[in-house]
């Protein structure tokens, strides 16, 4: 995977991605602590609502912005999105009311919804060789996993010497460095001659039609639901469980998020071998199954061992398992997107996946937050039901796609942003 870093353009873009991810990781911790400071035990409701607004921005804004900026220089799009995210990150420490969180999160995530599909669609042009492209996507996935592990650790260290509000400054620095690196990168020329729809609705329909007619992408859609269920429990309810149910300090939240990221990182190094041996479809199916099992385990832990040391340790183990399953699904998925798209429609396919996958979170985030305000066990039970319902068609679609599609054996992955 390291070989692709010899390409100076990809090296600059990869570095920009890493720094932006670190900033985003600090934002995740800081936003959770800010929500708890403002709402106490109702922090899950605040986070659930904020993350739902994030998904509204992703689902609604991503296709719209893809249409609006499709002919604009990619460098202008990426740098502009980073500047907007930087400004919002600096504004968040000034928040005193929950509604202000919601407004700022919408603007920030609208910028992310612009940045991520444009960034992902650049990589095939930077590294046109299939082997290099798949290595680059695998390296990008590794960076995402490292961020999930490293950012909470950095946040925990910073919290020992500064208030949690200062974590937003680290977020802003990440976006500033990302914009600087994109500015110095020499991006490939854009192909503006390919025939493409010219209106927003035509562009949106084009990407969705590719998904609906492609067996492997229908499989991706089903696994998106399972991933959304597992991720929602971690991102929305970790602060409630750590600070409320188990009565621990701020560092406990960073530990929980680090376990989720550590589980994902644990398999990042072996996913290439797993994909080479079993193929993309089987690897992703195993990951979806593992997420569902981990949700069942989390439900049992919260029911049988609440507010105990053993329960906290067991919950951390389930968080790590959720991370493993998420990585098994997400790491190979971008190769299926790449293989199902062409130069003419690749941006639209990635944008459709971006919007459709986050539409799943539009269901799971509010469930995890709003149900958490009623009962501790309600979120994991509801999310387990969703994951289980999606797992059955996912396995069926995976088997069907494997029968009619040549096996994809190159490991890949790209983070969501």
């Amino acid at each position: 995977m390291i070989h692709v870093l010899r390409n100076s353009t990809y090296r600059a873009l990869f570095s920009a991605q890493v720094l932006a991810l670190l900033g985003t990781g600090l934002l995740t911790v800081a936003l959770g602590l800010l929500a708890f400071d403002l709402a106490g035990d109702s922090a899950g409701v605040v986070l659930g609502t904020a993350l739902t607004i994030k998904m509204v921005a992703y689902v609604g804004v991503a296709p719209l912005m893809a249409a609006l900026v499709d002919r604009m220089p990619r460098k202008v799009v990426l740098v502009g999105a980073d500047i907007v995210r930087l400004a919002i990150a600096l504004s968040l420490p000034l928040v005193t009311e929950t509604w202000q969180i919601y407004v700022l999160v919408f603007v920030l995530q609208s910028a992310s919804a612009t940045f991520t599909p444009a960034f992902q669609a650049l990589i095939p042009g930077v590294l046109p060789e299939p082997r290099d492209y798949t290595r680059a996507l695998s390296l990008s996935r590794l960076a995402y996993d490292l961020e999930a592990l490293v950012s909470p650790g950095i946040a925990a260290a910073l919290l020992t010497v500064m208030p949690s509000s200062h974590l937003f400054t680290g977020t802003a620095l990440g976006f500033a460095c990302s914009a600087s690196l994109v500015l110095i990168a020499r991006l490939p020329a854009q192909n503006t001659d390919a025939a493409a729809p010219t209106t927003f609705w035509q562009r949106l329909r084009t990407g969705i039609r590719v998904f609906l007619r492609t067996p492997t992408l229908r499989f991706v859609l089903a696994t998106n639901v399972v991933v959304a269920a597992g991720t929602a429990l971690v991102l929305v309810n970790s602060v409630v469980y750590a600070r409320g149910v188990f009565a621990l300090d701020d560092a406990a939240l960073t530990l929980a998020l680090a376990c989720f990221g550590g589980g994902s990182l644990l398999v990042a190094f072996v996913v290439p071998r797993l994909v080479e041996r079993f193929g993309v479809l089987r690897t992703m199916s195993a990951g979806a199954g593992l997420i569902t099992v981990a949700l069942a385990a989390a439900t049992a832990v919260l029911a049988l061992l609440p507010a105990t040391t053993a329960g906290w340790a067991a919950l951390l183990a389930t968080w790590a398992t959720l991370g493993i399953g998420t990585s098994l699904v997400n790491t190979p998925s971008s190769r299926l997107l790449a293989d199902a798209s062409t130069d003419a429609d690749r941006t639209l396919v990635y944008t459709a996946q971006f919007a459709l996958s986050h539409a799943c979170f539009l269901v799971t985030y509010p469930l995890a937050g709003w149900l958490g305000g009623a009962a501790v066990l309600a979120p994991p039970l509801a999310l387990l039901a969703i994951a289980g319902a999606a797992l059955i068609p996912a396995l069926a679609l995976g088997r069907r796609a494997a029968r009619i599609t040549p096996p994809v054996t190159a490991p890949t992955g790209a983070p969501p942003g």
Side-chain angles (χ1 to χ4, degrees):
M1 291 188 293
I2 303 300
H3 169 78
V4 295
L5 292 177
R6 295 178 183 175
N7 183 300
S8 59
T9 298
Y10 178 72
R11 185 168 62 247
L13 290 174
F14 177 72
S15 300
Q17 176 196 12
V18 169
L19 290 169
L21 283 173
L22 287 173
T24 302
L26 293 179
L27 177 65
T28 300
V29 176
L31 195 58
L33 296 175
L34 176 62
F36 196 87
D37 289 340
L38 291 176
D41 289 339
S42 298
V45 178
V46 175
L47 279 180
T49 303
L51 292 174
T52 300
I53 291 171
K54 169 183 176 179
M55 293 306 108
V56 170
Y58 276 10
V59 174
V61 174
L64 175 61
M65 293 306 299
L68 292 177
V69 307
D70 188 58
R71 303 298 180 181
M72 292 177 60
R74 288 287 179 261
K75 185 171 292 190
V76 172
V77 174
L78 296 175
V79 173
D82 270 337
I83 291 174
V84 172
R85 295 194 291 183
L86 183 157
I88 297 302
L90 291 177
S91 301
L92 279 166
L94 306 178
V95 163
T96 57
E97 303 289 340
T98 55
W99 69 266
Q100 296 169 348
I101 292 180
Y102 302 150
V103 172
L104 293 176
V105 164
F106 179 81
V107 177
L108 186 146
Q109 300 305 337
S110 295
S112 293
T114 304
F115 182 95
T116 301
F119 178 88
Q120 291 178 348
L122 268 177
I123 305 304
V126 174
L127 299 168
E129 290 296 322
R131 181 178 294 271
D132 288 340
Y133 171 59
T134 56
R135 286 173 176 171
L137 288 177
S138 188
L139 190 61
S140 293
R141 181 64 203 179
L142 179 61
Y144 180 73
D145 295 331
L146 282 170
E147 176 273 317
L149 179 63
V150 173
S151 292
I154 294 175
L158 292 175
L159 286 172
T160 64
V161 297
M162 64 178 62
S164 59
S165 61
H166 288 191
L167 295 179
F168 292 112
T169 303
T171 297
L173 287 174
F175 292 140
C177 293
S178 173
S180 300
L181 287 167
V182 171
L183 278 174
I184 66 173
R186 298 182 61 182
L187 303 186
Q190 293 176 233
N191 179 12
T192 58
D193 297 327
T198 56
T199 70
F200 161 66
W201 293 111
Q202 288 174 326
R203 291 170 186 271
L204 179 59
R205 288 197 300 269
T206 298
I208 292 177
R209 278 200 301 267
V210 174
F211 268 80
L212 295 180
R213 71 171 180 246
T214 308
T216 53
L217 297 186
R218 293 201 297 270
F219 166 76
V220 170
L221 287 177
T223 59
N224 285 342
V225 177
V226 181
V227 169
T231 304
L233 186 66
V234 173
L235 295 187
V236 175
N237 297 103
S238 287
V239 66
V240 177
Y241 298 152
R243 296 292 306 275
V245 174
F246 292 94
L248 300 172
D249 57 15
D250 289 350
L253 171 61
T254 65
L255 178 60
L257 296 176
C259 284
F260 179 72
S264 185
L265 178 63
L266 180 66
V267 298
F269 294 103
V270 300
V271 164
R273 295 181 183 178
L274 293 174
V275 170
E276 183 177 355
R277 181 172 180 179
F278 300 107
V280 170
L281 295 169
R282 288 184 179 179
T283 301
M284 292 177 65
S285 295
L290 193 59
I291 291 171
T292 306
V293 170
L295 285 170
T299 304
V301 168
L302 292 168
L304 301 175
L305 299 170
T308 65
T309 302
W312 177 243
L315 193 68
L316 293 179
T318 64
W319 260 221
T321 305
L322 286 169
I324 291 172
T326 299
S327 187
L328 287 173
V329 174
N330 285 342
T331 300
S333 63
S334 284
R335 181 51 190 252
L336 297 182
L337 300 179
D339 289 349
S341 61
T342 65
D343 288 340
D345 66 9
R346 181 162 289 124
T347 298
L348 301 178
V349 169
Y350 274 88
T351 298
Q353 162 64 359
F354 189 78
L356 292 171
S357 64
H358 288 84
C360 300
F361 289 104
L362 192 56
V363 175
T364 60
Y365 278 153
L367 278 177
W370 301 341
L371 290 179
V376 171
L377 288 179
L381 282 172
L383 295 171
L384 173 60
I386 290 173
L391 179 63
I392 296 173
L395 296 178
L397 287 167
R399 286 193 295 269
R400 180 183 177 189
R403 288 197 299 268
I404 63 178
T405 306
V408 181
T409 58
T412 67

